[in-house]
C-alpha cells in the first residue's frame, strides 16, 4: 500500500513571497503519478500540478512548480509570488500508473496555507 | 457541460436512516470514485468503478454500497447511517490511462445525529 505524508499542518506566507510545501510518499511502484490539489474555502478540489514519475523534468504551471526527487520519494510544491487567492488547503496525492487504478488516489493529510498582506 | 455534479449539497440524517448520495458526470468518463474527507485525515477512497457494471472497494468501504448501471451515474448508498459517517463526500471521474486527471464534484456535507 502507498502512503503520503505531509508534515506541515499549517503554513503562512506574505503576499508576493515564495513558499514551499513538503510531501513525501512511500511506494514499491516504479510507475506512478503525483499530484497537488488545492481546496479553497469553497470546498472544490482543484488540480494544481501533476508529475509523471518517469519524467525527470520537474513540472511547472505558471507560479507553481514542483521539486520531484524520485530516489528520496519527495514531491514538494513551490508557490512563487504568492497571492491572497492561494489561501487554501493543499493536498499531495499519489496514483499508480496501471489500468484500473486511475480511480484510486491516495491523499496526504493536507497543509493549510494562509497568505497574508 | 456541467462536469461532475453531486446532490444534495447538505444533508442531516438520524442514526439508522438510509439515503443515497447522487453523482453524475457528463464527460463520458469511464472511471468514477467516491471519497470521504474527515478533519486531519485528507480524502479516503470509499468505492470506485472502472466502467458501467464494474465496481470495487476502496480503503474505507464498510457501511456503503455502490452500483454503476450507466456511464454517467455513480450513486453512493448508506443503508443504515451512523455518526461515524458524518463527513464531506466527494465524487470524482476521469478518463483513465495516461490522461489521469480526476475531476471532482462540489461535495456533499453529511451529518448523522
Amino acid at each position: 500500500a502507498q502512503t503520503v505524508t505531509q508534515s506541515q499542518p499549517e503554513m503562512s506566507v506574505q503576499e508576493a513571497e515564495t513558499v514551499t510545501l513538503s510531501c513525501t510518499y512511500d511506494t514499491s511502484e516504479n510507475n506512478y503519478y503525483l499530484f497537488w490539489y488545492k481546496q479553497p474555502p469553497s470546498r472544490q478540489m482543484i488540480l494544481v500540478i501533476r508529475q509523471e514519475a518517469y519524467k525527470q523534468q520537474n513540472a511547472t504551471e505558471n507560479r507553481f512548480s514542483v521539486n520531484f526527487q524520485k530516489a528520496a520519494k519527495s514531491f514538494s510544491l513551490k508557490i512563487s509570488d504568492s497571492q491572497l487567492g492561494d489561501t487554501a488547503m493543499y493536498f499531495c496525492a499519489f496514483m499508480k500508473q496501471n489500468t484500473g487504478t486511475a480511480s484510486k488516489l491516495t491523499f496526504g493529510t493536507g497543509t493549510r496555507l494562509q497568505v497574508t498582506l | 457541460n456541467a462536469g461532475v455534479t453531486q446532490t444534495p449539497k447538505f444533508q442531516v440524517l438520524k442514526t439508522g436512516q438510509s439515503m443515497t448520495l447522487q453523482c453524475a458526470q457528463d464527460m463520458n468518463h469511464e472511471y468514477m470514485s467516491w471519497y470521504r474527507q474527515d478533519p486531519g485525515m485528507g480524502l479516503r477512497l470509499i468505492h470506485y468503478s472502472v466502467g458501467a457494471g464494474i465496481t470495487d472497494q476502496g480503503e474505507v468501504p464498510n457501511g456503503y454500497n455502490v452500483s454503476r448501471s450507466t456511464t454517467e451515474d455513480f450513486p453512493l448508498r448508506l443503508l443504515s447511517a451512523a455518526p461515524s459517517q458524518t463527513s464531506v463526500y466527494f465524487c470524482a471521474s476521469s478518463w483513465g490511462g495516461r490522461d489521469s486527471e480526476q475531476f471532482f464534484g462540489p461535495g456533499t456535507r453529511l451529518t448523522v445525529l
Side-chain angles (χ1 to χ4, degrees):
Chain A
Q2 286 68 229
T3 59
V4 177
T5 301
Q6 294 179 249
S7 59
Q8 304 154 317
E10 295 183 356
M11 294 192 72
S12 181
V13 63
Q14 287 191 323
E15 197 177 25
E17 296 296 309
T18 295
V19 64
T20 299
L21 309 184
S22 300
C23 173
T24 58
Y25 59 95
D26 188 25
T27 183
S28 59
E29 302 288 330
N30 192 48
N31 299 316
Y32 49 87
Y33 295 102
L34 294 164
F35 306 86
W36 280 98
Y37 280 89
K38 170 184 177 181
Q39 187 181 43
S42 68
R43 202 171 66 196
Q44 181 69 46
M45 294 290 288
I46 302 165
L47 179 64
V48 174
I49 200 164
R50 167 176 53 202
Q51 176 80 41
E52 296 179 357
Y54 73 88
K55 290 186 177 178
Q56 294 185 347
Q57 186 174 5
N58 289 327
T60 299
E61 290 285 345
N62 300 315
R63 298 182 295 107
F64 299 88
S65 61
V66 299
N67 183 3
F68 173 49
Q69 302 289 329
K70 190 172 184 180
K73 296 181 181 175
S74 171
F75 183 61
S76 61
L77 174 70
K78 185 172 79 171
I79 305 175
S80 303
D81 186 27
S82 297
Q83 301 175 358
L84 294 177
D86 295 334
T87 292
M89 181 74 86
Y90 286 82
F91 291 99
C92 179
F94 172 100
M95 185 171 70
K96 290 194 293 185
Q97 187 180 337
N98 287 312
T99 301
T101 63
S103 300
K104 299 173 70 173
L105 283 167
T106 300
F107 286 87
T109 52
T111 296
R112 187 176 302 280
L113 178 67
Q114 180 73 46
V115 181
T116 60
L117 292 171
Chain B
N1 190 336
V4 180
T5 58
Q6 292 184 236
T7 56
K9 286 187 169 52
F10 302 93
Q11 183 71 48
V12 179
L13 291 178
K14 293 181 180 179
T15 297
Q17 287 186 315
S18 63
M19 80 158 296
T20 299
L21 305 185
Q22 301 292 345
C23 174
Q25 51 91 10
D26 60 0
M27 297 173 282
N28 202 32
H29 286 168
E30 286 296 319
Y31 296 86
M32 297 186 74
S33 311
W34 277 102
Y35 295 86
R36 60 177 287 173
Q37 182 179 19
D38 301 298
M41 298 187 73
L43 281 75
R44 293 179 293 167
L45 182 65
I46 304 171
H47 284 285
Y48 67 100
S49 169
V50 298
I54 306 170
T55 64
D56 205 348
Q57 297 180 351
E59 181 184 355
V60 287
N62 292 341
Y64 307 96
N65 281 350
V66 292
S67 59
R68 184 97 179 269
S69 56
T70 68
T71 298
E72 295 78 19
D73 301 300
F74 191 43
L76 179 71
R77 298 181 184 86
L78 285 71
L79 299 179
S80 179
S84 61
Q85 294 178 304
T86 293
S87 188
V88 179
Y89 291 85
F90 288 95
C91 180
S93 73
S94 69
W95 291 109
R98 292 292 298 272
D99 186 1
S100 56
E101 179 179 353
Q102 290 207 26
F103 295 83
F104 284 81
T108 295
R109 180 176 293 277
L110 175 68
T111 301
V112 183
L113 303 175

